[in-house]
Amino acid sequence: MTESTTDLPTRRLGALTVSAQGLGCMGMSHGYGSSDDSQSIATIHRALDLGVTLLDTSDFYGAGHNEELIGRALASPARREQAVLATKFGFANALGEPIEIRGDAAYVRQACEASLRRLGVDHIDLYYVHRVDPDVPIEETVGALAELVEEGKVRHVGLSEAGPDTLRRAYAVHPIAALQSEYSLWTRDVEAEVLPMCRELGIGLVPFSPLGRGFLTGRVTSTENLEDGDMRRRQPRFTDGNLERNLAIVARLEELAARKGVTAGQLALAWVQHQGGDVVPIPGTRRQKYLEENVAAATLELSADDLAAIDAAAPAGSVSGDRYDAGSMKFVNG
């Protein structure tokens, strides 16, 4: 195994031990315009060398390309040994419209077998239900996952964007290691009911988009600079004047960050890291420079005064616009 070059701490997601911060790999294949596979693989390798173990993907990202990419990055046994590999299933028609969600038992097995082939591995460390199928009882979906655990094809089970009642019902069938949901200074809806339910059941929280799809870094000031294929061009928080209103939040974060000698993104990410020892954010990036900035935020200490100032700069409910369009919001907290 390649030796880690940092002392990145670990945290628990249920019974699974992972690095305190993971790497979201979606943007290497999906959502943010063009990318370079060789650059992405180099970033994955750098993450592993920095002590990041949790790599997050999905069969949905790039219609399978992202899983194939990670499979190439982990092709050597030494690299595979370094990684805790998480992927997801549930979007049955890949990039089709309208979105089709499937959680029936037959599809769970079909999707798992396909992901194992694309990843080139014999097991998935953490397998998530990407979105809950509203037409299939969660007991059926998780029951099928439990069978895959018994067969050794899956080690741990997770859900994504599931509501508290669904979490409880799922956990009654099989232990749930992690819930993946959006959580950041501009998306805090999990705090009311979802996070308390996770803690009652001993489920870890894996926040995706902990930097607000890059917005909280201060590097996105206009959609005009985004590629045509960038999904942020269509998302409510970046359109209809909302971006301009939301930039006031970033300006306040930048002032606080300057006092600590860090970037606004590092401050925002450190805030997420401080929300509990059961919280493991997965910021995404294709570039080693930003990866290293993110990893440094995992050990950035924030005092009670710092946290209070950050809360005041970006209070819950202060963001303008929904995080998805109306169609996609239907599958949030399902």
Side-chain angles (χ1 to χ4, degrees):
M1 182 187 294
T2 304
E3 189 172 338
S4 170
T5 58
T6 191
D7 294 322
L8 193 62
T10 59
R11 292 183 174 181
R12 294 290 292 273
L13 300 173
L16 178 63
T17 299
V18 299
S19 52
Q21 183 183 117
L23 175 63
C25 299
M26 181 189 80
M28 298 174 180
S29 306
H30 174 91
Y32 294 108
S34 59
S35 61
D36 178 272
D37 284 1
S38 60
Q39 179 191 61
S40 296
I41 289 173
T43 298
I44 292 170
H45 288 168
R46 180 61 177 151
L48 294 170
D49 292 341
L50 288 172
V52 174
T53 62
L54 181 62
L55 302 181
D56 185 85
T57 183
S58 170
D59 61 3
F60 179 65
Y61 303 155
H65 172 269
N66 202 241
E67 288 185 326
E68 294 171 352
L69 175 72
I70 291 180
R72 287 159 54 198
L74 301 181
S76 75
R79 287 300 189 187
R80 176 65 183 99
E81 186 182 349
Q82 286 179 291
V84 176
L85 184 53
T87 191
K88 316 177 199 68
F89 73 94
F91 287 101
N93 58 338
L95 304 180
E97 295 288 349
I99 293 172
E100 180 187 3
I101 306 294
R102 283 186 63 183
D104 56 282
Y107 184 72
V108 173
R109 180 170 294 275
Q110 174 189 331
C112 180
E113 297 289 356
S115 286
L116 288 170
R117 287 194 299 272
R118 283 188 292 267
L119 291 163
V121 298
D122 61 4
H123 72 275
I124 296 164
D125 297 308
L126 176 57
Y127 199 32
Y128 290 101
V129 181
H130 204 158
R131 291 292 187 274
V132 175
D133 186 338
D135 299 319
V136 173
I138 193 63
E139 290 82 359
E140 176 179 340
T141 306
V142 177
L145 288 167
E147 291 180 2
L148 294 171
V149 172
E150 290 177 7
E151 295 169 17
K153 294 177 180 178
V154 170
R155 295 284 170 84
H156 299 271
V157 173
L159 302 181
S160 179
E161 293 283 15
D165 291 342
T166 300
L167 284 170
R168 187 182 291 282
R169 289 169 54 197
Y171 196 87
V173 177
H174 188 276
I176 304 299
L179 173 72
Q180 184 172 137
S181 287
E182 185 168 350
Y183 187 34
S184 71
L185 280 170
W186 79 343
T187 302
R188 298 177 63 171
D189 49 299
V190 298
E191 293 176 340
E193 296 180 344
V194 172
L195 187 51
M197 179 59 72
C198 285
R199 287 176 171 157
E200 178 183 330
L201 299 173
I203 299 171
L205 181 68
V206 177
F208 70 85
S209 295
L211 292 170
R213 308 189 201 289
F215 186 76
L216 297 174
T217 66
R219 292 192 292 270
V220 181
T221 57
S222 169
T223 56
E224 296 302 314
N225 297 326
L226 302 176
E227 290 188 37
D228 289 342
D230 195 311
M231 64 184 182
R232 292 172 291 186
R233 281 181 165 268
R234 304 183 304 277
Q235 291 181 333
R237 290 184 176 174
F238 293 86
T239 58
D240 300 325
N242 289 328
L243 184 145
E244 289 76 16
R245 288 187 287 271
N246 292 329
L247 282 172
I249 297 172
V250 177
R252 292 192 292 268
L253 289 175
E254 287 176 332
E255 290 180 14
L256 295 176
R259 296 176 200 168
K260 291 190 71 68
V262 298
T263 67
Q266 286 177 315
L267 193 70
L269 187 50
W271 179 90
V272 179
Q273 298 275 181
H274 278 70
Q275 298 313 301
D278 54 355
V279 176
V280 180
I282 49 168
T285 184
R286 299 176 291 214
R287 297 174 177 84
Q288 294 186 49
K289 172 187 175 183
Y290 299 135
L291 166 73
E292 291 167 3
E293 284 187 13
N294 292 342
V295 169
T299 52
L300 176 61
E301 291 294 332
L302 299 178
S303 67
D305 287 344
D306 289 332
L307 292 169
I310 293 167
D311 270 321
S318 62
V319 175
S320 296
D322 287 333
R323 53 187 172 111
Y324 294 122
D325 61 37
S328 296
M329 285 297 293
K330 292 188 301 183
F331 300 108
V332 169
N333 295 328

